[in-house]
Amino acid sequence: MTGADTTLIVGLHGVLHRYPWIDRVSREFDLDEDVFSLAVKRAAAYGWSNTDVSGAPEGTVWDHNDAGGDWGEDGENRQLAWLQATLPNRGSLPTVRTATGKKVRPRGPRLPLLPAVTVLNDALHRVGTVHLTGAHALVPLRVAGDSRFELAMMADWFALADPDGAEELAVTVSSRSSAGLSGRAAEVRDAVVERGHDVMAVETVKHAAGAVADGLARPLAGQVQAEGMRPAMSFRCRVREWSADVAAWTTELFADALRGSTGTSAPVLITVARGRTT
């Protein structure tokens, strides 16, 4: 597969206030940390990625390509952190024969959306306090494995929340016309509800052409790879809490719903923003 078929790009948006002691500690230990360096180190600490020139160990989840972010502290919403990675060993899986002789195709690996968001969120919280307003992901559906089993367990995790909590999310899916997503929002909505096991309420909304959801700072990382994509469907979701984990879960719910309900293997751009869209 080409690099474009296996490229994952994830970004977090919001407002960052760096800790007042950061510059002093950086001078003391001769540190020059940014999103790139922190993301690389954190991913290696979890065992998800490796930059060893002798070769990545077995089990590596992604090959790190690039990372960056805008840490301007003027109170304005910014794209605080993003990373671009290539997902290795994601070719077509061969069929295997079960003990009864039936031919089946093994489940492919899940997309590492939660790990990628976790690395970026860890990096931001290491240097300051974060007011998270949104997230986006360029998702390579061609190499996305079926994640319904894991999503069921994740739904239980997010159900364990304050029942009086209420957060509204605006979700948009953009794609190229060749993806064939036009007119299929209702199918995707039903698939998301099923995978979310009623923990997330979802409704389709009309998307205004060219509209930008509050909470996302443009231009988005991955705009070159997303060239030609246009908003295909929009949704309003209700959950009990808002966090980077919820943003990752929401993104994976929609990615797997798109994979399973529409059958498309084209890359898509999924945005998740805290707040209402019309």
Side-chain angles (χ1 to χ4, degrees):
M1 292 186 181
T2 65
D5 289 326
T6 61
T7 296
L8 172 70
I9 299 174
V10 175
L12 296 182
H13 303 250
V15 179
L16 173 72
H17 296 292
R18 296 200 310 161
Y19 297 128
W21 45 260
I22 284 291
D23 290 338
R24 176 165 57 87
V25 172
S26 296
R27 289 192 299 270
E28 181 181 356
F29 291 96
D30 194 24
L31 301 176
D32 186 20
E33 303 289 5
D34 56 13
V35 176
F36 185 97
S37 64
L38 291 171
V40 167
K41 292 168 184 174
R42 198 59 176 159
Y46 282 117
W48 292 330
S49 184
N50 193 285
T51 56
D52 190 339
V53 294
S54 64
E58 186 176 351
T60 294
V61 178
W62 71 72
D63 294 330
H64 187 81
N65 293 157
D66 201 1
D70 183 351
W71 287 358
E73 294 186 74
D74 55 5
E76 295 295 321
N77 186 52
R78 295 178 180 272
Q79 186 170 218
L80 299 176
W82 59 267
L83 68 78
Q84 175 179 325
T86 300
L87 307 183
N89 305 318
R90 292 273 180 152
S92 298
L93 294 172
T95 58
V96 296
R97 195 178 295 275
T98 67
T100 60
K102 182 180 179 180
K103 288 184 177 181
V104 298
R105 189 178 300 276
R107 271 202 322 145
R110 289 169 60 201
L111 293 169
L113 289 163
L114 178 58
V117 168
T118 297
V119 164
L120 295 178
N121 194 48
D122 284 359
L124 292 173
H125 281 86
R126 199 61 185 167
V127 299
T129 60
V130 181
H131 175 65
L132 184 71
T133 58
H136 80 278
L138 182 70
V139 182
L141 290 181
R142 186 177 298 278
V143 293
D146 185 338
S147 59
R148 284 175 293 178
F149 177 77
E150 292 83 1
L151 285 169
M153 292 190 291
M154 292 171 73
D156 289 344
W157 178 273
F158 291 109
L160 195 63
D162 183 355
D164 294 326
E167 293 286 349
E168 199 165 81
L169 310 180
V171 177
T172 298
V173 176
S174 297
S175 66
R176 299 183 179 94
S177 58
S178 57
L181 298 184
S182 178
R184 308 193 70 175
E187 295 175 56
V188 174
R189 179 254 173 212
D190 291 345
V192 171
V193 171
E194 177 187 3
R195 285 160 172 76
H197 293 268
D198 295 320
V199 177
M200 174 187 289
V202 186
E203 62 180 297
T204 60
V205 296
K206 184 177 180 180
H207 186 90
V212 177
D214 291 341
L216 297 177
R218 303 297 176 113
L220 302 179
Q223 63 175 346
V224 174
Q225 294 85 347
E227 185 176 0
M229 292 188 181
R230 298 291 182 269
M233 53 187 73
S234 296
F235 306 86
R236 183 178 298 122
C237 306
R238 283 179 294 279
V239 291
R240 291 181 176 178
E241 61 181 314
W242 168 246
S243 66
D245 283 354
V246 170
W249 173 55
T250 303
T251 302
E252 188 168 6
L253 278 173
F254 277 89
D256 197 69
L258 288 160
R259 177 204 60 77
S261 67
T262 71
T264 186
S265 60
V268 294
L269 176 66
I270 300 174
T271 66
V272 181
R274 187 182 190 183
R276 193 181 186 94
T277 186
T278 57

